């Protein structure tokens, strides 16, 4: 056995010597080497050296060419290719640096460690200088992840870099994974609960337009006897449709109108003629016989009352005239004197 001394040897042999020394001490990943030289040097017996900048191994390298580890990688202090450089974060060539693993990144050069991706971000390849935001429809709530998780059915995330998914609101649904937005239930269907994956049809007596969130009760004068309808039908003629909102026992079918009532199209309730005084005749109400009799009697009484009032008025007027004339008929001439003779004395012929 013999020991090779690289001092004074040829440059090619010394190069193989020191490369073999480095390989024997540590694994260079992903350092790019000449595999032919490594194979030749691996058969040589080398004396290990202590890691130091003053060791012959470090003197062999041209440390003035050390470069900072590029973005996406970190300093590897377990290899002479990096440890021989004076400052941490520098290596003899970029391939000697360790690339950041999946889920980690490094945006700067010459760094000693990689950083984990934050929540809502990921990177799925090694040597990444940055992390990518989770796309809409997915989330990530753990640091250092190399992938995002898709939202489950019934939930969604509409923004990038989401850390969680939100449940679909009432009236909307999501039937698949990775929804970035929940869909409104189609017309005639609804979702009564949050986080719905399917919609259920509206029940009879109810309806829902496409722009509405929940099924609505048919209004007064309308009905609906089918499932999953977008609108209600007008109550037919000779039937009435009470509102289900105030009904104790709602009936979704139109109710037949009674024989003594009127029920035009869209009726909320039957219309009746006034009891006793009116009665139904065809499509209208007419006066009952008793009502006609009462009207005749009432008219006669009213006419008699008017005549009596006129007569009483005339009598009162005549009385007032008699009282006014009485003083004029009974008035006496006042006594007077003309030339010393009373006014009422008989005239006397004086003979003149």
């Amino acid at each position: 056995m013999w020991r090779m001394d690289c001092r004074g040897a040829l440059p090619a042999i010394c190069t193989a010597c020191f490369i073999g020394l480095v390989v024997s001490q540590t694994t260079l990943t992903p350092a790019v080497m000449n595999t032919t030289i490594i194979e030749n040097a691996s058969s040589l017996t080398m004396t290990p050296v202590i890691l130091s900048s003053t060791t012959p191994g470090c003197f062999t390298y041209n440390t003035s060419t050390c470069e900072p580890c590029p973005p996406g990688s970190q300093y590897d202090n377990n290899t002479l290719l990096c440890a021989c450089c004076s400052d941490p974060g520098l290596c003899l060539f970029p391939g000697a640096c360790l690339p950041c693993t999946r889920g980690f990144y490094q945006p700067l050069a010459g760094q000693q460690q990689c950083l984990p991706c934050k929540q809502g971000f990921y990177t799925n390849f090694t040597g990444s200088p940055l992390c990518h935001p989770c796309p809409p429809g997915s989330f990530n709530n753990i640091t250092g992840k190399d992938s995002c998780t898709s939202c489950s059915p019934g939930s969604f995330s509409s923004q990038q870099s989401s850390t969680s998914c939100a449940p679909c609101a009432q009236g909307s649904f999501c039937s698949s994974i990775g929804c970035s937005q929940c869909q409104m239930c189609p017309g005639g269907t609804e979702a009564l609960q949050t986080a719905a994956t399917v919609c259920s049809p509206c029940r009879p007596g109810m309806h829902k337009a496409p722009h509405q969130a929940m099924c609505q009760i048919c209004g007064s004068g309308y009905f609906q006897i089918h499932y999953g309808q977008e609108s209600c039908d007008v109550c037919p003629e000779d039937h009435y449709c009470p509102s289900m909102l105030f009904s104790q026992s709602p009936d979704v079918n139109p109710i037949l109108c009674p024989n003594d009532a009127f029920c035009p199209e869209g009726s909320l309730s039957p219309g009746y003629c006034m009891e006793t005084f009116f009665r139904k005749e065809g499509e209208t109400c007419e006066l009952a016989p008793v009502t006609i009799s009462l009207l005749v009697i009432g008219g006669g009484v009213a006419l008699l009352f008017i005549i009596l009032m006129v007569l009483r008025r005339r009598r009162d007027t005549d009385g007032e005239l008699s009282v006014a004339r009485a003083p004029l008929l009974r008035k006496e001439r006042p006594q007077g004197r003309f030339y010393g003779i009373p006014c009422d004395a008989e005239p006397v012929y004086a003979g003149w």
Side-chain angles (χ1 to χ4, degrees):
M1 296 295 293
W2 53 277
R3 179 177 178 180
M4 178 181 288
D5 189 352
C6 290
R7 289 175 296 180
L10 295 175
I13 298 177
C14 287
T15 301
C17 172
F18 286 109
I19 292 178
L21 177 62
V22 172
V23 172
S24 66
Q25 292 187 23
T26 183
T27 301
L28 300 179
T29 304
V32 179
M33 295 293 191
N34 188 319
T35 57
T36 304
I37 298 178
I38 293 176
E39 291 176 357
N40 295 334
S42 61
S43 61
L44 301 177
T45 302
M46 306 299 296
T47 300
V49 295
I50 300 174
L51 182 61
S52 172
S53 60
T54 61
T55 59
C58 288
F59 280 127
T60 304
Y61 296 111
N62 184 8
T63 57
S64 63
T65 61
C66 289
E67 302 178 18
C69 290
S73 64
Q74 66 180 21
Y75 168 76
D76 184 8
N77 59 359
N78 294 322
T79 176
L80 291 175
L81 296 177
C82 297
C84 287
C85 295
S86 59
D87 295 328
L90 303 179
C91 292
L92 290 176
F93 54 90
C97 301
L98 292 177
C100 296
T101 59
R102 294 159 61 98
F104 288 75
Y105 76 107
Q106 180 51 256
L108 304 177
Q111 301 301 307
Q112 300 184 54
Q113 62 180 359
C114 295
L115 305 175
C117 292
K118 298 187 300 182
Q119 294 183 5
F121 293 81
Y122 78 101
T123 177
N124 57 358
F125 61 92
T126 60
S128 177
L130 52 85
C131 294
H132 303 284
C134 290
S138 64
F139 73 101
N140 172 29
N141 55 5
I142 302 175
T143 58
K145 288 280 288 184
D146 61 355
S147 64
C148 297
T149 304
S150 298
C151 295
S152 58
S155 62
F156 74 103
S157 66
S158 59
Q159 304 293 332
Q160 289 185 339
S161 63
S162 296
T163 58
S164 63
C165 295
C168 294
Q170 284 186 338
S172 61
F173 75 104
C174 171
S175 59
S176 61
I177 63 172
C179 285
S180 60
Q181 185 177 3
C182 296
Q183 300 179 11
M184 289 290 294
C185 288
T189 62
E190 65 179 352
L192 297 176
Q193 304 295 331
T194 58
T197 58
V198 293
C199 298
S200 55
C202 295
R203 296 171 296 171
M206 306 184 75
H207 73 287
K208 189 184 85 69
H211 65 278
Q212 294 176 321
M214 309 296 291
C215 294
Q216 309 293 322
I217 296 176
C218 292
S220 302
Y222 290 82
F223 77 102
Q224 184 54 260
I225 61 175
H226 301 290
Y227 280 90
Q229 300 301 306
E230 296 187 8
S231 60
C232 296
D233 300 324
V234 180
C235 197
E237 190 176 2
D238 294 331
H239 294 78
Y240 66 96
C241 302
S243 175
M244 294 178 58
L245 187 62
F246 306 103
S247 178
Q248 298 296 331
S249 57
D251 188 356
V252 298
N253 293 283
I255 303 174
L256 185 64
C257 191
N259 294 329
D260 58 343
F262 298 97
C263 295
E265 185 180 64
S267 294
L268 165 64
S269 60
Y272 293 92
C273 297
M274 187 181 297
E275 295 182 0
T276 305
F277 300 104
F278 295 89
R279 65 181 181 182
K280 180 183 178 183
E281 183 64 29
E283 297 300 325
T284 60
C285 291
E286 67 176 13
L287 296 174
V290 64
T291 306
I292 297 175
S293 301
L294 290 175
L295 288 176
V296 172
I297 295 173
V301 171
L303 181 61
L304 180 60
F305 178 77
I306 293 173
I307 293 174
L308 291 176
M309 291 297 294
V310 171
L311 293 176
R312 182 178 178 181
R313 182 65 179 169
R314 290 188 62 182
R315 187 185 63 183
D316 292 345
T317 302
D318 292 344
E320 292 176 358
L321 290 176
S322 298
V323 173
R325 291 174 181 174
L328 296 177
L329 296 176
R330 294 193 304 268
K331 187 176 181 181
E332 296 180 356
R333 179 178 296 179
Q335 294 183 356
R337 303 184 69 87
F338 293 94
Y339 300 103
I341 302 174
C343 293
D344 55 349
E346 290 292 334
V348 179
Y349 186 67
W352 291 359

